[in-house]
Amino acid sequence: MRSAATLAVLLFALASNIVLAGKIAKGPGNPVPPTPPAPVVAEAPRVLQVGPTRTYKRIAEAAKVARDGDTIEVDPGDYLGDVAVWTQRRITVRGVGARPTLFATGLAAEAKGIWVVRTDDMLVENLEFRDAKVIDRNGAGIRHERGRLTVRGCAFRDNENGILASNDGTAELVIENSEFERNGTGDGYTHNLYAGSIARLTVKGSWFHRAKVGHLLKSRARENHILYNRLTDEFDGNASYELEFPNGGLAFVIGNLIQQSNATENPIIVAYGREGYTAATNELYLSHNTIMNDRTDGGVFVHVERGAAVATLSNNILVGPGTLNLGAAKVTRDDVTLTGWSDFMLAPRLDLRLRSTSPLVGRANAVPTVNGVSLRPTAEYAHPVALRPLRPDGRLSPGALQSLGP
């Protein structure tokens, strides 16, 4: 028979572990477990509206309160001095209806430009950026410093730089169906579009024209895809290079209309490696471009500095007086050189469709796929700032435009 002392010990142990109302009572060796933290509920993306009759009158106000994943919709109108810095991880800003215009009016975010972008992923649509100027004469409509920036259906006019991208080696810039006009200070160091040493630049269906002494498009990106654009200095422009890759890199230039005016200050139209090669891969592929030189004193259609690994020119039409300087270790060419304009519909007006009677129609050579990129065009530029898809099985002609005139 158990003693009274033994029973007392058993009763104490039982009381230390008894479950009362679903809770474990405190006792030796049986502490109360900590309360788990409340689950984090992600806030749903919002649409913030900006305009004279909206909650937010200025884009800068919406930029300060926007959260990751939000969309900001901007009503038509002129937005004066509406400068902003964007730091959200994901953000979309788009104009709704007629394109809103952002005039710098002497102001600049961080003394850099109308907008400064440091996001992981930003989409900008249907907005116009004008008159960005700063004290160091390097102001930009958009200063792109980090992450992936996509610009679609926008315009950049009369800025010191249209878009200026940083030297962040992980950044990516995508331009689609946009227009760049009259950007630059006239010093030759500011351009319609200037991409620094970023990872990748992609430009499609866009129109670059009349840069002020600087280049229509300059890129130090490690990889470049310049596809189905119009890079033309028109008849009164005085841009320097129409297209430059100063440090080489991997460059695919497919389906572009490229034209140099008689007023240019530099005879070279496409320049590659002029400031020394810094990329691990230095290969230039030009396919199905129409490159025309209106400089009466002649010019250089393509200049490749010595040291490049590959320069491949396929199915391009070179029009007007000019030469090629191809200093690559491996050069491949099957271009068409024309001295006159009779094959085109109306070359003096930059209607560079081939006439249906031209012997060049349907005479393009087969082109390879390089690093997973086909040199065969899948679209053509449609003026202004649009793309027209091509039949994947259709016969191709040399040059940028596959649509024919009568």
Side-chain angles (χ1 to χ4, degrees):
M1 191 171 184
R2 296 178 179 176
S3 66
T6 301
L7 288 173
V9 170
L10 291 172
L11 289 171
F12 177 81
L14 180 62
S16 299
N17 293 280
I18 192 167
V19 177
L20 298 174
K23 296 182 179 179
I24 300 177
K26 295 180 179 179
N30 193 29
V32 175
T35 303
V40 177
V41 179
E43 295 180 294
R46 304 168 300 170
V47 175
L48 309 181
Q49 295 178 313
V50 176
T53 64
R54 306 294 188 180
T55 301
Y56 303 101
K57 311 301 182 189
R58 296 171 60 80
I59 300 169
E61 297 172 6
K64 291 179 181 178
V65 301
R67 301 192 297 248
D68 292 348
D70 284 353
T71 295
I72 296 174
E73 294 184 343
V74 183
D75 286 348
D78 294 340
Y79 294 80
L80 308 182
D82 203 349
V83 302
V85 178
W86 302 91
T87 59
Q88 295 81 2
R89 292 185 61 190
R90 298 175 313 283
I91 192 79
T92 295
V93 187
R94 64 167 56 99
V96 177
R99 181 185 290 159
T101 301
L102 285 69
F103 290 91
T105 62
L107 299 181
E110 298 182 345
K112 296 175 181 177
I114 296 175
W115 285 1
V116 177
V117 173
R118 290 192 291 270
T119 64
D120 287 353
D121 193 355
M122 183 173 189
L123 171 62
V124 179
E125 285 187 302
N126 191 36
L127 294 168
E128 182 167 336
F129 299 80
R130 300 189 69 142
D131 300 332
K133 296 175 176 62
V134 299
I135 193 168
D136 64 0
R137 296 170 60 83
N138 209 25
I142 296 180
R143 178 75 72 92
H144 175 215
E145 296 191 341
R146 185 174 70 81
R148 175 186 170 95
L149 171 64
T150 300
V151 174
R152 182 180 299 144
C154 292
F156 297 81
R157 294 188 172 92
D158 300 310
N159 305 284
E160 291 175 329
N161 290 282
I163 294 178
L164 177 59
S166 72
N167 291 318
D168 184 335
T170 64
E172 182 176 352
L173 176 59
V174 179
I175 309 293
E176 298 175 348
N177 307 113
S178 295
E179 182 178 358
F180 294 73
E181 179 184 15
R182 299 190 306 268
N183 299 288
T185 63
D187 60 2
Y189 298 102
T190 48
H191 313 286
N192 264 348
L193 170 62
Y194 190 179
S197 302
I198 61 177
R200 181 175 171 132
L201 170 68
T202 301
V203 184
K204 293 182 178 181
S206 296
W207 184 18
F208 296 78
H209 57 120
R210 294 187 176 92
K212 296 177 182 176
V213 179
H215 307 332
L216 297 182
L217 194 163
K218 179 172 184 174
S219 175
R220 301 182 190 272
R222 194 163 59 247
E223 184 172 339
N224 300 273
H225 297 256
I226 313 301
L227 312 174
Y228 324 122
N229 304 286
R230 173 169 165 156
L231 297 96
T232 52
D233 211 21
E234 311 301 316
F235 304 101
D236 55 353
N238 63 344
S240 183
Y241 302 140
E242 277 57 54
L243 178 60
E244 187 193 18
F245 308 102
N247 301 127
L250 181 59
F252 297 96
V253 182
I254 303 172
N256 300 278
L257 296 168
I258 308 174
Q259 175 258 353
Q260 175 172 257
S261 80
N262 189 44
T264 183
E265 298 191 8
N266 194 309
I268 298 175
I269 299 175
V270 178
Y272 184 86
R274 294 277 285 169
E275 296 180 25
Y277 295 106
T278 60
T281 301
N282 297 297
E283 300 176 359
L284 173 63
Y285 299 93
L286 288 95
S287 179
H288 281 276
N289 302 283
T290 299
I291 307 176
M292 58 186 296
N293 178 36
D294 284 328
R295 186 173 182 264
T296 55
D297 289 337
V300 179
F301 291 108
V302 181
H303 177 97
V304 177
E305 199 73 18
R306 291 189 178 277
V310 173
T312 295
L313 284 69
S314 302
N315 294 320
N316 304 290
I317 299 179
L318 311 178
V319 191
T323 61
L324 293 167
N325 298 332
L326 303 178
K330 180 181 179 181
V331 175
T332 305
R333 275 201 63 204
D334 59 8
D335 300 302
V336 175
T337 301
L338 299 176
T339 57
W341 311 100
S342 60
D343 285 274
F344 300 107
M345 283 303 300
L346 192 59
R349 292 291 177 263
L350 292 177
D351 183 351
L352 295 174
R353 292 175 297 160
L354 290 173
R355 294 181 181 274
S356 59
T357 55
S358 169
L360 299 177
V361 173
R363 299 296 297 274
N365 296 310
V367 290
T369 294
V370 179
N371 295 334
V373 177
S374 174
L375 301 186
R376 177 187 171 96
T378 60
E380 65 179 5
Y381 176 80
H383 196 62
V385 294
L387 292 177
R388 183 182 297 115
L390 300 177
R391 290 180 50 186
D393 57 348
R395 292 174 58 206
L396 296 182
S397 305
L401 299 181
Q402 301 303 313
S403 298
L404 303 177

